[in-house]
Amino acid sequence: ETLTRFGRRPEYLLQMLIALQEHENWLPPEALTALAAALDLPRARVEGVVGFYSFLHAEPVGQYRLLFSDNIIDRMCGSEALMARLCHSLWLAPGQVSEDGLASVDVTSCTGLGDQGPAMLVNGRAIAALNEDRIDIICELIRQKLALDAWPVELFQFENTIQQRDALLSCTALPGDALRAAIAMGRDAWLSQMQASRLRGRGGAGFTTAVKWLACRDAPTVEKIVVCNADEGEPGTFKDRVLLDAHADLVFEGMTLAAWAVGARRGFLYLRGEYLNLRPALEATLARRRAEGWLGASIGGVAGFDFDIEIHLGAGAYVCGEETALLESLEGKRGTPRIRPPFPVTHGYLGLPTVVNNVETLAKCCLIALHGGAAFAATGTAQSAGTKLLSVSGDCARPGIYEFPFGVTVRQVLDACGASDTLAVQVGGAAGITLAPYEFGRRVAFEDVPTAGAFMVFNDTRDMFEVAHNFVRFFAHESCGFCTPCRVGTSLLAGTLDKLAEGKGSPADLLEIEDLDRLLKQASHCGLGSAAPNPVIDGLQKFRPAYERHLMHADFSPAFDLDGALRRARQITGRDDAGAHLPQQPEASR
Ligand code: SF4
């Protein structure tokens, strides 16, 4: 059945595995063997893919797989106590499958519901706003062995908490309006408008969108691809979730505008597995757009303008938000970031020229088509045109989505969301920057504080060591393991913070963190590894007392005597001169 649905195409391997698991609840060895044979792939390749994605299971799991979102914001909302309540109620321990095989409970990285946490996934479907009552209801439904489709629908509903609208979120254009305008301009004039807009990518890196599109259009291969990166995995980010739910037409229309510019016929929306709930509505929107003539053959009545979009699901791998890792995943492989160059604009999906743009970036293209590039560039700052969506969560009265022109200060955002006694703001997620109160006058913009959208607020009752500890554990969990500095470095970093959390740290451990920062920054293959120490390094600079509180003693030195350990070697060699001893190091350099 799976093969009939996807064809014998290896690039659909991940989608096949997801579909198979939906059916079987896990991926039995014989199914993997059959799939490998049908696709003419080595079985090790299939197993390698299964092993890479945390939502795929090569071992039996509970009939109900419960995964609590482990973002620091979920923890601040009480997720640990709720997980303990659920485990107690179901006689389960985290990480285990119940003896009757009914349920398994564990944690997962941020599920993108920071505005209404704590949240969890049940067999991949998100449930937000957890509280004791909801946990008790969930336990009862599980005990009754009720199929997920028969659970109360309101459990799976969540809100689009839009708190402040600007140009994008107040856009009332009808499906096709932006496309009609771009088609009327012609391809070249449309690209000129994109250049005039100075639109930069909203996924974090901030690359100029028109430059990407031009490079793809000019690549010699005829077949081109458009990919929408909806793998919004940065802890604390959820603005793409809201856009996909409330403004899916703008996103799909933006993809079609990109296809018009570069001459693409195929498009993919790569949807993070955590947003499985959104898929039925997204498929329905695609079907409607096909029926209206805004997807498919001769779009807008233009002969030869043929373009359609498929939705591909991710399966719980943060690194797939990196565009080359995402392309590997789209090709049905492990999501290991590629070596660049070549860049995706010339060698992307299956080696074809590919533009990969973020959800928000693509939605913004509609504004440019509707109102022109100059109007778009009229707001924002010199290097950051337009508006930015911020996902605001944490210690504030009104968490949710805020749209501000670039250049808004951190303090203005804090005032808008009703934050008080703020100790710190984490802008840009775990990989971003930790701002202390003396920096709240800084501006959200590529030239000052860049961000993909996460804006996490911590008041003065919070322990910034705990915040960094959560982020570092996240990176250790999400390291794809491809390169040793990141695989080992993130684990060592997490281990060092574990040690501090247990109150067993020493000043030497704080110096060790700085060494690991250098290693990870210099030797990691992709941005995940190089960004992993950011929250700790920022924390040490701006909130050092929070770290020093965790030291056993301020002048504690490691008990291990390295020179003493060489005593036996000196005996064997008969040496006891100065050269056979380690030089005494000053305290600060240890
Ligand atoms: Fe994978 Fe980390 Fe290396 Fe990136 S830096 S390729 S996430 S191991």
Side-chain angles (χ1 to χ4, degrees):
E1 192 187 321
T2 304
L3 289 168
T4 314
R5 182 165 152 206
F6 294 103
R8 291 172 190 268
R9 293 177 290 181
E11 64 268 29
Y12 282 79
L13 174 59
L14 176 59
Q15 303 310 304
M16 291 180 190
L17 290 167
I18 292 169
L20 202 57
Q21 183 169 280
E22 252 174 50
H23 193 254
E24 302 281 331
N25 204 40
W26 67 296
L27 296 164
E30 55 278 15
L32 299 187
T33 305
L35 199 53
L39 297 177
D40 200 17
L41 291 173
R43 193 179 186 286
R45 155 94 191 272
V46 176
E47 261 189 70
V49 172
V50 174
F52 185 84
Y53 296 93
S54 64
F55 289 176
L56 297 181
H57 306 287
E59 304 281 337
V61 285
Q63 189 183 328
Y64 297 92
R65 300 183 304 282
L66 309 157
L67 293 172
F68 279 78
S69 181
D70 197 29
N71 183 16
I72 184 70
I73 301 295
D74 292 279
R75 285 184 170 229
M76 283 159 50
C77 296
S79 63
E80 288 168 290
L82 293 173
M83 183 167 161
R85 184 181 183 92
L86 183 135
C87 286
H88 182 260
S89 178
L90 294 177
W91 289 69
L92 264 175
Q96 285 181 356
V97 184
S98 60
E99 282 184 16
D100 57 1
L102 187 62
S104 54
V105 182
D106 215 328
V107 291
T108 187
S109 299
C110 179
T111 52
L113 286 157
D115 51 340
Q116 46 206 298
M120 74 190 303
L121 303 176
V122 183
N123 293 1
R125 295 176 63 182
I127 300 181
L130 292 173
N131 53 31
E132 292 188 351
D133 289 346
R134 285 196 146 201
I135 289 290
D136 294 345
I137 291 168
I138 290 165
C139 289
E140 193 49 39
L141 292 166
I142 290 172
R143 274 193 289 270
Q144 289 174 13
K145 301 185 182 174
L146 211 62
L148 228 53
D149 287 340
W151 286 26
V153 284
E154 57 270 22
L155 273 181
F156 300 104
Q157 287 167 346
F158 38 76
E159 290 176 39
N160 291 325
T161 49
I162 297 174
Q163 304 283 8
Q164 178 150 321
R165 297 171 191 270
D166 203 307
L168 183 65
L169 295 178
S170 54
C171 177
T172 53
L174 296 173
D177 283 355
L179 264 171
R180 222 179 268 114
I183 289 169
M185 288 176 211
R187 282 195 161 99
D188 290 343
W190 164 229
L191 260 167
S192 299
Q193 290 301 317
M194 283 294 295
Q195 285 175 298
S197 74
R198 299 188 285 112
L199 174 67
R200 294 174 67 172
R202 297 318 201 231
F207 198 78
T208 306
T209 307
V211 172
K212 242 185 204 184
W213 288 14
L214 278 165
C216 183
R217 184 198 67 176
D218 295 340
T221 313
V222 175
E223 193 178 345
K224 313 279 165 62
I225 305 289
V226 171
V227 174
C228 174
N229 182 347
D231 195 40
E232 181 181 45
E234 194 64 51
T237 316
F238 45 86
K239 47 105 185 165
D240 291 347
R241 183 201 89 218
V242 173
L243 276 179
L244 289 165
D245 200 24
H247 296 280
D249 267 301
L250 289 179
V251 179
F252 290 138
E253 190 132 338
M255 291 179 73
T256 317
L257 287 166
W260 173 238
V262 306
R265 296 165 67 96
R266 289 183 80 186
F268 296 96
L269 178 94
Y270 185 94
L271 183 68
R272 72 184 300 227
E274 289 83 345
Y275 291 172
L276 183 66
N277 294 26
L278 301 180
R279 186 175 187 162
L282 290 170
E283 293 284 10
T285 305
L286 285 176
R288 175 175 48 73
R289 292 184 68 84
R290 283 183 200 113
E292 292 169 350
W294 299 118
L295 282 175
S298 303
I299 292 171
V302 179
F305 181 16
D306 307 337
F307 179 68
D308 212 330
I309 297 169
E310 291 173 43
I311 298 175
H312 276 222
L313 273 179
Y318 163 77
V319 72
C320 289
E322 195 278 341
E323 66 175 1
T324 62
L326 183 150
L327 291 171
E328 289 287 297
S329 184
L330 260 187
E331 292 180 8
K333 300 174 189 161
R334 295 164 67 90
T336 304
R338 294 176 181 171
I339 293 168
R340 293 182 290 186
F343 293 96
V345 284
T346 56
H347 296 77
Y349 177 71
L350 298 176
L352 300 168
T354 304
V355 288
V356 183
N357 286 130
N358 167 264
V359 170
E360 183 185 346
T361 314
L362 289 162
K364 292 257 160 74
C365 295
C366 296
L367 298 183
I368 297 163
L370 289 164
H371 309 299
F376 185 87
T379 50
T381 66
Q383 293 175 40
S384 313
T387 62
K388 182 77 195 86
L389 299 192
L390 298 176
S391 314
V392 178
S393 63
D395 294 316
C396 62
R398 293 175 294 280
I401 302 296
Y402 289 76
E403 184 179 13
F404 285 104
F406 266 123
V408 65
T409 65
V410 171
R411 189 170 290 111
Q412 284 171 315
V413 181
L414 289 172
D415 289 345
C417 69
S420 57
D421 303 322
T422 304
L423 173 67
V425 181
Q426 183 73 22
V427 185
I433 177 170
T434 314
L435 298 174
Y438 67 87
E439 298 171 289
F440 290 171
R442 292 182 65 179
R443 295 181 181 280
V444 175
F446 291 109
E447 55 267 55
D448 192 358
V449 182
T451 174
F455 191 100
M456 290 185 262
V457 183
F458 302 100
N459 69 21
D460 57 12
T461 66
R462 306 296 176 187
D463 179 349
M464 292 311 292
F465 170 82
E466 280 304 322
V467 174
H469 191 192
N470 178 272
F471 291 155
V472 163
R473 277 203 309 249
F474 161 79
F475 283 119
H477 178 257
E478 293 294 345
S479 167
C480 81
F482 171 74
C483 61
T484 308
C486 172
R487 185 179 66 247
V488 177
T490 52
S491 290
L492 287 175
L493 198 55
T496 305
L497 267 72
D498 288 346
K499 186 177 165 191
L500 287 164
E502 289 164 15
K504 295 178 183 164
S506 75
D509 292 311
L510 302 186
L511 294 173
E512 172 78 10
I513 288 170
E514 287 167 18
D515 285 346
L516 287 169
D517 175 46
R518 274 190 291 278
L519 169 82
L520 281 156
K521 288 230 166 13
Q522 288 166 8
S524 294
H525 173 60
C526 83
L528 185 152
S530 53
N534 288 356
V536 195
I537 296 300
D538 262 359
L540 275 171
Q541 281 172 4
K542 299 169 190 176
F543 303 98
R544 199 173 181 93
Y547 288 72
E548 289 176 342
R549 273 199 293 275
H550 289 273
L551 302 182
M552 270 179 89
H553 196 281
D555 59 1
F556 174 80
S557 301
F560 182 69
D561 178 6
L562 193 53
D563 189 62
L566 295 172
R567 192 175 299 117
R568 177 81 182 128
R570 283 193 291 271
Q571 281 172 354
I572 292 169
T573 56
R575 286 185 59 182
D576 200 21
D577 56 291
H581 286 269
L582 290 173
Q584 289 291 318
Q585 291 185 8
E587 186 73 25
S589 67
R590 272 190 218 154

